[in-house]
Amino acid sequence: MRSVVISGTGLYQPPFTITNAELVESFNRYVDLQNAQHAEAIAAGERAPLVHSSVEFIEKASGIKQRYVLDKAGVLDPTRMYPRLTERPDGELSLMAEIAVDAARQALAAAGKTGADVDAVYCAAANMQRAYPAMAVEIQQALGAKGYGFDMNVACSSATFAIEQAVNAVRCGSAQCVLVVNPEITSAHLEWKDRDCHFIFGDVCTAVLIEAADTCTAPERWEVLGTKLVTQFSNAIRNNFGFLNRSEDSDPNARDKTFRQEGRKVFKEVVPMAAAHIEAHLGSLQMAPTDVSRYWLHQANLGMNQLIIKKLVGGEVGGDVAPLILDEFANTASAGSVIAFHKHRQGLSAGELGVICSFGAGYSIGSVVVKKQ
């Protein structure tokens, strides 16, 4: 079977950061405004008062300390509480395409390639800017890539699911070099007014270049030994925003039109699923979890990652085995595990093993087992 490698990665990092302290200050101002506006209903017992958030609550619940965003002012405006982005004309490069091209060019440079060397582009993200034309095709054109492109969405597992499609395309010969980009503008679908989740997400874009080992000229390469995907339906993480909303005459600002989750249920159900998935994947390759030198896991919750690793290796491990980027970037949907791989793959020697794994809405879990060349 044809050997396939990851030959380059890229990371677009937005220009603005929001610390937990800044976020809490803005959120609490919003709470005070809402409670004052609805004081009579609250006093009458018709409406429950909103509750303040705190830095301590956020860090204990998630491990997040800050996040990067494309717009800071709109998010922190207590009368708005979502980003303020400028609509672009059709003839101008779209926002998602712009950040994807930035990350893609970094990945191409790392691999010693140009856009002309790419013959497939997969744009995989939790939310797409539009229905059509496909974001991937616009990115393909901007990079001068050949072949074809398409969009795909498997929520927080979009990147790993796309990597499997890319690996399979190269193995079967339908493509020689595939670019996977993950432009995650999560600030636009996060409900910043909800205390239980207002701190979760941040914006970012990652890129991964997948190519045949025999055409790879990159100074660093990671052989893909196997990929494994699984889905199991759950409503525990959901967003009902879509093109049918208008025809349903539903409220476009209703709570179900942005991100929502049953956090405790997700934690309880996904942790054992993810640990079992990784262990089974490694077992199919005649490997054990303790054979793996580094795990680049989905970055959603510190406690979740710690428990998954504990189930796999039977004890506590440090950041050298399961690196964390969650504290700096927050949850970046499908890009999280790729950011961890991009920033924390140094120090491994030739022959050492690693696992890139994501898990999220669906439920969906995707894992990629790699070996340093």
Side-chain angles (χ1 to χ4, degrees):
M1 185 178 293
R2 195 178 198 189
S3 179
V4 181
V5 298
I6 294 175
S7 57
T9 60
L11 170 65
Y12 168 81
Q13 189 170 297
F16 304 107
T17 60
I18 298 178
T19 66
N20 286 348
E22 290 175 305
L23 189 65
V24 166
E25 194 274 336
S26 173
F27 179 83
N28 290 348
R29 286 169 59 204
Y30 163 76
V31 167
D32 292 341
L33 289 172
Q34 289 295 304
N35 287 344
Q37 180 180 343
H38 301 284
E40 291 186 8
I42 292 171
E46 300 168 358
R47 182 186 182 100
L50 298 181
V51 179
H52 280 181
S53 186
S54 72
V55 171
E56 295 74 20
F57 163 70
I58 292 172
E59 294 187 9
K60 182 178 180 181
S62 66
I64 296 168
K65 295 183 178 179
Q66 67 160 49
R67 68 284 301 144
Y68 294 96
V69 292
L70 289 165
D71 174 70
K72 181 173 182 174
V75 171
L76 296 182
D77 181 349
T79 65
R80 181 179 177 89
M81 304 290 280
Y82 54 91
R84 183 177 284 105
L85 305 174
T86 302
E87 185 177 10
R88 299 183 178 187
D90 291 351
E92 187 176 332
L93 190 66
S94 302
L95 180 58
M96 285 187 76
E98 179 183 292
I99 65 176
V101 167
D102 184 291
R105 284 178 173 152
Q106 294 178 45
L108 289 167
K113 293 284 193 291
T114 67
D117 296 311
V118 175
D119 48 18
V121 176
Y122 302 161
C123 181
N127 289 274
M128 291 297 162
Q129 183 172 337
R130 59 171 183 262
Y132 46 80
M135 298 305 306
V137 179
E138 183 178 10
I139 295 162
Q140 174 195 14
Q141 180 188 49
L143 291 170
K146 306 184 297 293
Y148 64 95
F150 64 79
D151 296 345
M152 59 183 295
N153 177 352
V154 200
C156 289
S157 290
S158 296
T160 52
F161 274 57
I163 288 172
E164 176 174 272
Q165 311 317 308
V167 169
N168 289 344
V170 174
R171 278 185 175 150
C172 76
S174 65
Q176 302 299 313
C177 181
V178 182
L179 174 68
V180 173
V181 288
N182 319 110
E184 293 288 9
I185 307 179
T186 59
S187 62
H189 74 93
L190 176 59
E191 184 47 84
W192 297 93
K193 300 175 182 178
D194 187 329
R195 181 179 183 271
D196 288 338
C197 70
H198 77 110
F199 54 85
I200 291 180
F201 288 110
D203 298 332
V204 81
C205 183
T206 51
V208 179
L209 200 67
I210 310 289
E211 61 176 307
D214 56 14
T215 66
C216 179
T217 58
E220 178 190 3
R221 63 181 74 181
W222 296 78
E223 183 183 3
V224 179
L225 301 180
T227 59
K228 182 178 176 65
L229 313 177
V230 68
T231 54
Q232 177 181 306
F233 186 73
S234 170
N235 274 321
I237 310 172
R238 191 172 177 112
N239 183 337
N240 286 335
F241 181 80
F243 76 97
L244 289 180
N245 296 159
R246 181 181 67 171
S247 300
E248 297 166 342
D249 295 321
S250 61
D251 179 2
N253 296 314
R255 180 64 187 88
D256 72 322
K257 303 305 189 296
T258 50
F259 169 86
R260 56 198 170 97
Q261 70 169 354
E262 300 174 59
R264 290 184 178 85
K265 183 177 183 181
V266 172
F267 192 105
K268 181 179 179 180
E269 294 179 345
V270 171
V271 165
M273 284 177 60
H277 175 92
I278 293 171
E279 186 170 16
H281 188 188
L282 291 169
S284 71
L285 298 171
Q286 287 75 55
M287 301 170 187
T290 50
D291 294 331
V292 176
S293 299
R294 196 157 297 169
Y295 288 90
W296 301 285
L297 299 181
H298 175 53
Q299 304 286 312
N301 181 280
L302 174 60
M304 181 178 286
N305 284 16
Q306 290 176 332
L307 188 51
I308 289 171
I309 290 295
K310 187 174 183 179
K311 285 179 175 290
L312 287 170
V313 303
E316 306 292 340
V317 298
D320 56 329
V321 175
L324 182 75
I325 57 92
L326 178 71
D327 54 343
E328 178 184 357
F329 288 86
N331 184 338
T332 51
S334 72
S337 56
V338 180
I339 298 173
F341 177 70
H342 173 79
K343 294 180 74 71
H344 296 285
R345 64 177 186 261
Q346 295 73 29
L348 269 64
S349 303
E352 289 195 87
L353 303 174
V355 173
I356 304 169
C357 183
S358 62
F359 32 89
Y363 294 128
S364 57
I365 304 174
S367 54
V368 182
V369 179
V370 296
K371 180 170 70 172
K372 177 71 179 292
Q373 295 293 287

